[in-house]
Amino acid sequence: LRIGLMEAQTLVTQLGRWSLGKGSLQYKLTRAVSQAIKHGLLNPGIRLPSERSFAQALSVSRTTVVAVYDTLRESGWVESRSGSGTWISSRSSAVMAARSDAQAGVLASSPLLGLLSNQRERDVIDFALGTPAPLTELPPELFTLPPDEYFGLLNDHRYHPLGLSSLREAIGDYYTNIGLRTHKEEILVTTGAQQAIMVCASLFLQRGDAALVEDPAYFGALDAFRAVGARIFPIPVGTDGVSPSVIRDRITATAARLVYLTPTFQNPTGSVMPRSARKEVSRITSELGVPIIDDGVLSDLSIDGSPPPPLAADNSDALVLTIGSIGKLICSNLRVGWVRAPEPIIQRLARLKSAMDLGAPLLTQAIATRLLGVVGEARNLRRAQLKLRRDLLVSLLRRQLPAWKFRVPSGGIFLWVKLPSGDAREFAQVALRHGLAVLPGTIMSATENHARFLRLPFLGTPAILKSGVTRLATAWRDYESSDRRGRPSELTLV
């Protein structure tokens, strides 16, 4: 059985944070590859990359990879034929048993799932995920419920598929207060913003349909569109976000059925689309009849000034699906998100969501209702925290890594950093061996663009940020001194 060659960077993604833990690099890499085969991530008939290309992608010596392939061959996991490379063995009983795990393997290959499920090592600083710590400066009683409300919800046997009425009203008030008049009938509560993206994708996209997605983009959105079988077409993100004229041209050229944007503190670039461009985008999508997702999850995280209102604020006729959450602002572990859209669309989305989980947990919805009552105070607290940490990270990078280039965003939680040379995927492997997990830009691109970029969050405490940048600088010196640095073909500018 011969299926085809697996690219080196694809295999590296499958292996995740393989170099953590005890043991030599050879031992850990052998274990990671054999486990990937055992669990169905690598199926029989796949041709592994050459020793040279795999070593470069991992930023290890070719000798290490040769030794790993030899050990896997001796153990029966792989087989080699002269002139045809190294293949996952079809004769190993362990490999054959892994066939039944193929579906699990497909899911486990998701970059999002890999980032979320990797266990935290004690001495590893995580600069990969973008999850703020809960805003514990708020009064603790806001995170609890009075006994009568608590037991009342426990004894409520209804599922509330649209969400608790009180929470939907609070979300409506939240949008009305920022310039987007909203009634509770226009709100669907979801289990986090990720589910909101997923139900919107499921409603408007069928397998093979075209979706326009920012490049770079939030990788969870890419996962959602891939899960429904959409064809993803990139739209470039500039200093002011995505150009309205580019959106119009790409809709026409691809017959796109859905557009996904994060116009406020774009993830990962931090760009903000001006209000004039927002008006033009909503007018274009209304004219062409194409729905647009406005992912506003980061829109409450303003540091300098105030961002424009959501896309839907300037065109009530445009089919805009506005997604929000209290996760980034207050507490991600509550898993409370929502979609704001015209009432007929909300009803259709609710039917899809009901098929997924019947309804979001009631206790966390009730807590979210209380927290939305202090959203102004929460914004001020988070702004002060993020400003201090953003400015610290900027200062540390400019002092210790002056050749790295980035713009300072006016809000959000990320710096989008361009390396002066090399490949961020290879550098991420070196950084991990220095106790630092970083996210290469290619993970945030449907076309694996932005190989010179890293997304760095400014969420850690000052002590963590200082230690993290010290490790970054040490890892970069190690990477620069090696002779394994790749030369990415694209040179996307900040």
Side-chain angles (χ1 to χ4, degrees), residues 132-151:
L135 203 57
T136 53
E137 295 87 346
L138 291 172
E141 58 268 21
L142 292 172
F143 295 88
T144 61
L145 298 174
D148 57 341
E149 185 177 0
Y150 177 86
F151 287 106

Side-chain angles (χ1 to χ4, degrees), residues 101 228 356 395 428 490:
D101 295 332
V228 300
M356 296 178 181
S395 174
E490 59 86 19

Side-chain angles (χ1 to χ4, degrees), residues 378-396:
R379 288 192 190 110
N380 291 334
L381 288 169
R382 191 66 88 181
R383 177 185 293 114
Q385 180 192 80
L386 291 177
K387 177 174 175 53
L388 172 67
R389 298 180 182 187
R390 179 201 64 181
D391 294 348
L392 176 60
L393 180 58
V394 166
S395 174
L396 292 168

